[in-house]
Amino acid sequence: VCCARARRGSSPSWRARPGPSPTGRFALTSTSSDTWRCRLAGASKPDARAAYLRGVSYYARGNLAAALTQLQEALRLSSELLPAAVYMGACHAASGRDLDAIGAWQTALIGDTGSPVLFSLLGDALLRVKEAEQAVGILSEGLAAFPGDAALRRRLALAHAMAGRGEEALPLLTAWVDEHPDDTQALQ
């Protein structure tokens, strides 16, 4: 039904507007992912933004293979659409392919350092593949950019510990425990 309405050219109940979101330049208002997929399916020419939105829609529904295909297409059409690389990394990580996720998030980090979340995602993936030294470097860079981010500080402490750098890890871990005495799970 929604696809037929979209092809007839009915007025959509959505709009794209510039937004400060680190994951994209367009904010969407109250429309389901099924409706988006129907509306975007009829795109007549290749459009990076449409491919990105289709990819995010597939990702939201758990269809990681379709999401990855659309997100790759979005980046192929517009190499500046780096939020697609963030979602590509999420697709890879959710599929257990941390090395591919690391590559995607490193690509995203080239153009978007506006969020500590990206540093956290990349640092966590590096730790999962036992690349503690690289994780220390990325997380140090993130903490330099976002000195007030306690989560980055905790991750950096854990990365130092995994890299065998107890002297660097201990003050960071001590500060975390002092600031969060009830968080018994955070250091595991």
Side-chain angles (χ1 to χ4, degrees), residues 5-178:
R5 252 185 279 139
R7 284 191 205 104
R8 283 194 313 258
S10 66
S11 175
S13 63
W14 60 274
R15 63 187 173 98
R17 66 182 191 280
S21 171
T23 60
R25 293 189 47 171
F26 297 94
L28 309 175
T29 57
S30 74
T31 304
S32 74
S33 61
D34 287 334
T35 304
W36 276 114
R37 202 169 28 265
C38 287
R39 288 182 180 159
L40 295 171
S44 60
K45 63 179 185 172
D47 181 352
R49 293 172 298 173
Y52 170 73
L53 293 173
R54 280 191 299 268
V56 171
S57 175
Y58 283 125
Y59 178 81
R61 294 184 48 103
N63 188 342
L64 301 178
L68 191 56
T69 299
Q70 291 300 312
L71 295 166
Q72 289 169 334
E73 177 69 4
L75 271 178
R76 186 187 68 73
L77 293 169
S78 174
S79 61
E80 295 175 3
L81 192 58
L82 294 177
V86 175
Y87 277 99
M88 283 175 55
C91 289
H92 288 306
S95 300
R97 296 188 313 269
D98 284 320
L99 293 176
D100 292 330
I102 289 166
W105 287 327
Q106 285 174 329
T107 299
L109 197 57
I110 291 169
D112 181 14
T113 57
S115 171
V117 172
L118 189 51
F119 288 100
S120 295
L121 291 169
L122 182 52
D124 288 350
L126 287 165
L127 291 174
R128 285 193 302 272
V129 297
K130 310 287 190 248
E131 291 291 342
E133 292 293 334
Q134 284 186 324
V136 166
I138 289 294
L139 294 167
S140 295
E141 183 182 334
L143 194 56
F146 302 97
D149 192 291
L152 277 175
R153 193 175 309 112
R154 180 184 64 83
R155 282 181 170 85
L156 178 58
L158 295 173
H160 277 303
M162 288 180 71
R165 299 180 181 173
E167 289 183 21
E168 290 90 350
L170 190 57
L172 294 168
L173 291 172
T174 301
W176 177 267
V177 171
D178 289 345

